[in-house]
Every structure is written in C-alpha cells, then in structure tokens.
Amino acid sequence: MELTLEKHDQMMLFKISNGEDLKEEFCTILPIVDIIEQMGSFVSQKYKTNIKEIEMKNGSYAATKRFVGLATVNKLKTGWSRQLLQTIAILDLKYVEELISLKQADLEEFNERIGIPRNSLLDRLSEKQRHHCSILKCPMGRNDSIEKSRATPVVHPQLNVCVDHFKKNTAFTDGRYKSSQEIRKAYEKAPRVSFKDVTKSKVETPEFTNKGSKKLREQHGLSLCIIGAAGAGKTTMTKRMVTTCMDEKKMPFLIPFAQIDKDERWSVKTLLTKFLCRFHDLKPSEEEIDEAFHWILANQEKCFLIFDGLDQSSFVISNEPIENPDINDEFLPGDLMSLLLSRKFLPNTRIAVTSRPHSLVQFAPAIQPDIVVFLNDLVSDDVEKLMNHYLDNGTASEMLEKLRTKSPRIHQLTRNPLLLRLIALLSNEKGENVWTYVSTIAKLFFEVVDLLQLSAHHERGDIDVEVLNRKLAAMAFYKIIEGSVVFEQSDLERYGLSGENVQDFLFGVLSSNHNNRTSNNALLVGLLEVFFYFHHQSTQEFFSARFVLEQLPVGEFEEFVGKLFPRLEKGADGKLKVGEDSFANLRVFVIGMVNEMKNRHQLDEDEILRKKNIFINFLCDHLRQLFVDPSEHSAGDHQMQMLVDMMDFRDEELNREIRQHLNDFNFWFNFGYLHVAAHREGFFHFMQHFVSNVRYLWLDIDEWSDDEIRRLFQSIQSSTAKIEEMEILMNPQQLEQWSDHVVAILPHLTRKLELGFLGGDERGCRKLKEEIINFDTSNLQTEELKVEVWDFGDRTFLDVVLRRGQPPQFNN
C-alpha cells in the first residue's frame, strides 16, 4: 500500500482516533516517554518537554493523549507516523505494532469516512445536521413529523444564472412592485444550471453545457448566491444540499444567518464549530474543536459552507474586507462574512449564500459572489410529485388538470412550493367541496388567509381578525400604489399593528443604515427597527384588492379602476398599442373580488352596486377598444391575457350583466393558434358567457385535443352569439371526425364559414357534404350563408350556398 508521508500520517491518526476502544488501549499501553526520545526531530524539544511533564504529573495515558493531540493539529513533523512505527519496532512492542499498523481495510474506511473518525466532533455534528435537515416545515409554521419529512419527494426548482447580476439587476432587487409576469420574463432566456452543478455532486438532475454550469462543475472554491422569492424553496434547498453533500462524502456546514448575533465576535474556527455546536446542543471540548478545525483546514475541497437567509441577518456584511487578517482572530459577523466571501479565508472551499434578491444590492465588487443563481418555479413533473404527496385524497394529475383548465392563474401558483402546499392543505380541509373555493384566485386566498389565521401565532394576537384584515388591506394597497413591496415599522404603527399581529403574513427585515437586511421572525415581536415583506407578493395583491372593494371610497375607486387596465393608444404606424400593464396581477384579484361582492355580507349594498357598475363600465370599454379588427392593432398578447382574466368571473348573474353591456359590440377574434391551453380555456369561457356578436373569428385547431375541439363547438352552440364570418384551420381527419359539430354551429353564423387544411383531398369533405345535405336550412339566422372548404394549394373542395328554407346549392 503506497502512501505519501502526509497521507500516512492522516491515516494513522484516523485509525488511532476511529473508535474509543482502540484509542483507549493505545494511550494505555504506549510507553510514550521512551517513544518520543527515539523519534528525534519528529517531535520538537518543546513538545517532548511538555509530554514528559504531563507524564510525571498525570501519567502515561494523559501524556499519550497529548501526543495524539499534537499530531491532530499538525504540531509534529510530517512523516511522524512512519517514525512511530519504526520506533515501536526497535523497542520490540509487537502488540502495539500490530494494533496500529495500517491495512487495506483502513484505507477503505478512511476514504469512506473522508478521514473523519467515528464519534469525533465533526462526526457528531454531521449526524445532528442530517437530523435537522431531514425535518421540513409546513406553511402553518410547525415542523412536519420525521416520517412525513422523509417521505416528501425530492424536487428541485429550475435554477437560472443571473448573468451580470450586479450590473443588470434582473431580479428586481430594489423593492419595487412588479407583476409576476414581468419577473418571470426576466429569467425566461437565462441560462440554466442544475442542483448537481450547485452541489458538485452526482445526483440525477438535468445536465447543461453553458458557462455557468461548467464553472460550477469544474471549480470547487467558488462563492455563489442563491436568490429567490419567499416560498420558492431556498431553505428546503439548503437542507437538500446538506444531505446530498453527506451522501457524496463531503462535509457541509449549514449556518442560519438569523441565529448569528450581530455583536458577538467569531473566528472561522469558532463559527464552524462552537456556533454550530451551540445551535445543535453539542458540548465539545477545546481539544475536539481544535481537531475539527485542523481537519477543515486540511480538507477545504471536501467542505461546503452554506449560509441560509442573508435577508434574515441582523448585521450588514462589510464591503471592505480587512487587510492581512489572521484566520485565528475573532471578528464581528459582518467582517467575518466579508473575509469569507472575498476568499481571504478558506479559498478552496465552496460557499453558498441564500437570500431574497434585495439583500445583494449593496454588495461591493470585493465581496460579490462568483455566480448568482435564481431559484425559479418548479417544473410540471415536480409539481405533480409534491401535490400527490401532500394530498390526502384524489390524485394530483386530476386536480392539476382541473386547475389548468378552470383556474389557470391558480395553476401557475402551484409552481411555488409554499403556495402549492397551501392549496393542498385547503383541498384536504374542504374535500370534494374544494372546487367551490378555487374557482377564482380571490376565493382561494380568502380561504388560505383563514387557514393561516387559525395558526398558533394568531391565537396569541390581541386584535380581532376582521379588524386586522382591514388594516392589512389598507397598508398593502397604499404600498402597491407607491410601487413598493417594502413596509417600514412606521407603516405598521400608522395602522396600529405590531409584529406579532402580522407574523402570519409578513416577514421581518432588520433595518441597518437603510440597507435592507432581515432578521428572523422573532424580530417581528421585538423592538428592533425592521422592514417587512409579505410572504408572497400575491398575498399583498389579495389584501390590496380587498381594500379596493371593501374600503376605498367610491370616488377614489372610480379613479383607481382606470389604472387596472393598460392604456390603449395608436402608435406612429396608426395601430393600437398596449401600454404598461403594471397592475395585471391586481386586476385579477379585483375581478375575483367583484365576483365575490354579493357574498361579502358586511359590505354596504348600495356601495357594492355602485362599485360593481363602475368596474363593469371600465371593463367593457376596455374590451370594446381591444377586440377590434386585427389590422388596426398589435395587442394580441394582451387579448390573450384578458381572456384568462375573465375566467375569474364565475357568477352567472354578473356574467349576464357584462354580456348585456357588450350586446351591441361586434368582436374580432383573430387568434390563430392559441398555443397555450389556458388561452383556449379562456376563449371558451369568454365566448360562452360574454359574447353576443362576432364580426370575425379565426382559429387554427390542427394541434388541439379532441376534448378542446368538442368544447370549442359546444361553447359556440351553448351561447347566443351570432358570428358573421368564421375561419377554422384543421386537418382532413379532424374535418371528417367533427363534421356533425361543424354543421351544428351553422345556425350561429350569419355570413360565411371557411374551413381550410394543409394537404388531403376531397375525401375529407364527404361526411361534411352528407351532413350539409341533411341540414335543415330553416334553422339559419340569416337569409344566406356560404360554406367553403379549401387547402393551402388553392384547391376548393367544397363550395356551397345555404339559403333559409331552401335545399343547399353546391357550386362544385
């Protein structure tokens, strides 16, 4: 077994320390004074004298432990272990020689345990961290059981590299209010990396080949920051990182920023040992601490420092790292973190910091991480895995499909792990009745808020729930109007609220020289000056919408409603263009609130009626401007958005009122593909409930499912709409399959129906021709209706004129 002198020393020390029995026997039987006299310069004279003094005072056992301790902290000359074996052989101590001689099995165990002996401080700390990281929290603030935590599927949200993060500020780190669509768009084309890259592990996650991914895989001594919104899964990800590192034979150190006292001084050694031991209720000796730290220094590439929740920190990280620092010195936390991030300490160790985006804004170049990664949404498969785990009854696929088709806005929320679990909790609470609560996003949040207010936190509050909700609503609304998601202590005080009152919904952020740095939730009930954020931006939007409908005076309501819709103005080319849609998310919540108004019995009925009429007038004016001849506008994206928004109108009486307001308007629907399922669902709902007259409708249904095609025809049949011209692009097989449905919508058409397809021949028209021959033309709403079937090769397969009360006239 060929080993370098250094490796041999490490393995000898590992063997002696790997188990109390062997170490105990070694220290008991070794004639340590005779040994060190024979080892020459491998033990300095200073330490020889020290060992002899200990032997005279406390005996050979204590002196041998001192010898082992010196070896642990590299105070003996490299090669000491070989010299020790030679000395033992010279002294003919065969039993000792046999006891500590290195074998192949020792090498295998050394590699398996990365040189960390059993029951050593690092071994005990590993077990404590593994246990801590195996327990997850539920949204109600309580720990899950170990069994439930362990059964939770391992999923990894998408990770996007923030290219030039500190120049482009793509994460909207300035505390301004932005719509979720705008935030997602910022990372739409950002390069992706995987959990495997971040942890430099072998776990099965997607592989990428971009620069960021390659850099993370090839360089261990990197600093990275993982940013993401509340509820995105940052803390859960750090726990997965810890367990993955352990499984991959690395030594992680998970340190929560919230637990670090800003006034307590730490060295690198005490932070990674004493601090974590205090956090995990371990009581090591100074000797054990020294041994652990020397292992860390010697094995930096096997260590991974993970600092969770920079936005919960009670201190500010210094932008100017101390010059020429001594790694053994103690520093205030802000300076120590600065030295770690600037790589003055432990340069070969990977360091990861998690945070909400705002906490990185003030980082100077000296402490900026090598790479910033944005924790994005969950992918669809992982959403289904988690939903299946958290649902007590039913299947995730069934629930998610219903959400996708009936409530696309809520379906989008399931990509956030926190909101996904809240939706699952609500489903477990309501059972089969859950669909009455998730029909609109506003209704969902009414129930989620009720769930959170049943938590233990709120039971300790000193304020009536309705009073609290009204105050939260006012505070949320006026901050959104300011364009902010950041609340100061003075905002809470203005509404007579305390941190304890709001801790179910807001997260505390410690203020330090006007830099945004957060504390843990305990600060919410303390006296420190803090900033606050809603746990999720959607919660702020929900409370804001409540204020708009429940508290905003009618005059101000009328003024505000105009801001809910983007301006539609003609550009230089004469086409209608859509202005900034700043309140897109809030608009959906307001729609849901209008839909729920009659169920909010505590509201003044006259005020409800006036606000409802104002909103309907604004809405219908906007729709009249929007759905016009496509040659006159470039507003297709906003049209799609409005179709989805209108799905949150679920009250039949309210829908009839809106239809009545739009009764004399001729809609133009030039949609083409309608690629997104939510847009198709929005169109079905819109057509069925709000449309009376259509000037022109064009759809490409070639790639639609059978169910979607059926619903298209059903939505037209079940409506009272009159369609002047309709053009549908489909394939010949679809034409043959759906010919009876095509003929069934003819009574809703008043001028022309065109059916086009790519390829095929007249055989695809035979069934349609048979259906038309058997059609009762007395059911037509118009005197004359034309039907044409053609392909893109300019061939006309069917040309027929239908006149009311007369047989069909075929022209080919």
Side-chain angles (χ1 to χ4, degrees), residues 738-757:
W738 299 99
S739 289
D740 56 338
H741 286 72
V742 171
V743 172
I745 66 171
L746 294 179
H748 292 269
L749 301 172
T750 63
R751 185 180 174 193
K752 189 176 185 180
L753 170 65
E754 292 188 54
L755 303 172
F757 51 82

Side-chain angles (χ1 to χ4, degrees), residues 97-163:
E97 184 178 7
E98 178 63 25
L99 186 69
I100 65 172
S101 291
L102 300 180
K103 301 176 178 61
Q104 183 63 33
D106 297 319
L107 176 61
E108 292 171 1
E109 188 171 8
F110 177 87
N111 292 333
E112 175 69 19
R113 298 187 59 82
I114 57 172
I116 298 176
R118 287 190 185 90
N119 204 38
S120 65
L121 175 57
L122 290 180
D123 186 46
R124 302 199 306 276
L125 192 55
S126 293
E127 290 306 309
K128 287 284 188 179
Q129 289 191 106
R130 186 182 288 277
H131 177 76
H132 171 74
C133 293
S134 68
I135 300 174
L136 305 178
K137 283 186 179 292
C138 77
M140 311 300 281
R142 295 185 290 268
N143 285 339
D144 284 334
S145 67
I146 294 178
E147 293 74 18
K148 190 173 185 67
S149 295
R150 286 176 178 170
T152 302
V154 176
V155 300
H156 302 296
Q158 295 180 69
L159 301 172
N160 295 95
V161 177
C162 306
V163 181

Side-chain angles (χ1 to χ4, degrees), residues 38 123 149 232 377 379 393 396 470 485 645 667 680 705 794:
Q38 295 289 329
D123 186 46
S149 295
D377 291 337
V379 297
N393 299 295
R470 288 176 66 84
V485 295
D645 291 355
F667 283 88
R680 298 194 284 271
S705 68
D794 292 330

Side-chain angles (χ1 to χ4, degrees), residues 203-240:
V203 295
E204 290 188 13
T205 56
E207 295 190 7
F208 304 100
T209 57
N210 56 66
K211 291 180 180 178
S213 180
K214 186 177 180 182
K215 186 175 184 179
L216 285 167
R217 285 198 306 271
E218 294 180 354
Q219 301 178 38
H220 185 74
L222 291 176
S223 61
L224 62 145
C225 192
I226 302 167
I227 59 174
K234 297 185 296 297
T235 296
T236 299
M237 181 174 173
T238 62
K239 291 184 175 184
R240 303 291 192 208

